[in-house]
Amino acid sequence: MTKPIGIVELQELVLPAQANHHGTLFAGQGLQLMAKAAFLAARSLAQREVVMAAVSRVDFVAPAPVGHGLTLRAWVSRVGRSSMTVCVTGLADLPGTPPEEILKGLFEMVAVDAKGRPVSLDCAYLNQETPL
Ligand SMILES: CC(=O)SCCNC(=O)CCNC(=O)[C@H](O)C(C)(C)COP(=O)(O)OP(=O)(O)OC[C@H]1O[C@@H](n2cnc3c(N)ncnc32)[C@H](O)[C@@H]1OP(=O)(O)O
């Protein structure tokens, strides 16, 4: 089976160690998971190392209680010379309940060489925006 490039799906579980004093996913942990998904999606499309240049936007749409499953979906929505915009959504669910969107964000990633300097991507054919 061919692995799609520029698209990633991660399955996580909200554990007590990731929770705040409300018993729901701590915002910083949510950001970390989104950043990981964004990184993997961008690296998959670039087929080389990437760094995060900016977080353009993050929305914490609803809380995710401990014990909920969390599905992070990330896809590259724009390809520039060396930069990419990655959309990430987080869906929380319990067995037997429909998933609910709890996180969404936009991340700016840049393809880099071994010295960490930006390098041109050779996949600029995907140069289009997808609304979040
Ligand atoms: C996976 C990780 O954990 S990475 C760790 C956290 N991230 C880092 O440490 C990155 C630190 N930052 C850097 O190394 C540098 O700022 C870089 C590599 C991101 C950019 O280097 P610069 O010298 O600014 O590069 P330059 O000005 O040539 O821009 C390169 C591209 O990045 C884009 N870019 C740079 N900064 C930003 C920004 N803040 N927001 C959006 N895009 C940006 C530019 O628009 C340009 O895009 P293009 O090539 O598609 O036209």
Side-chain angles (χ1 to χ4, degrees):
M1 195 170 73
T2 316
K3 206 169 139 187
I5 62 164
I7 302 172
V8 161
E9 184 168 299
L10 302 177
Q11 299 291 337
E12 299 283 343
L13 174 67
V14 182
L15 295 169
Q18 298 169 306
N20 53 33
H21 56 294
H22 304 293
T24 60
L25 180 67
F26 179 57
Q29 296 287 344
L31 282 171
Q32 186 180 15
L33 293 171
M34 295 176 87
K36 181 162 86 170
F39 169 79
L40 290 171
R43 190 172 69 166
S44 137
L45 187 128
Q47 296 289 298
R48 60 184 313 142
E49 286 305 323
V50 297
V51 294
M52 183 176 293
V55 181
S56 302
R57 178 173 182 145
V58 170
D59 293 305
F60 297 95
V61 181
V66 167
H68 278 58
L70 194 53
T71 303
L72 291 135
R73 292 189 183 136
W75 64 97
V76 176
S77 66
R78 181 196 61 88
V79 177
R81 188 188 67 84
S82 66
S83 66
M84 292 158 277
T85 302
V86 183
C87 298
V88 182
T89 63
L91 301 162
D93 70 278
L94 280 174
T97 66
E100 179 192 7
E101 184 177 81
I102 58 141
L103 297 169
K104 57 182 181 178
L106 282 176
F107 296 79
E108 303 302 325
M109 311 297 293
V110 178
V112 292
D113 64 17
K115 292 182 176 162
R117 298 303 307 150
V119 287
S120 293
L121 294 157
D122 58 8
C123 46
Y125 58 88
L126 286 169
N127 201 353
Q128 53 184 287
E129 290 281 355
T130 302
L132 183 61

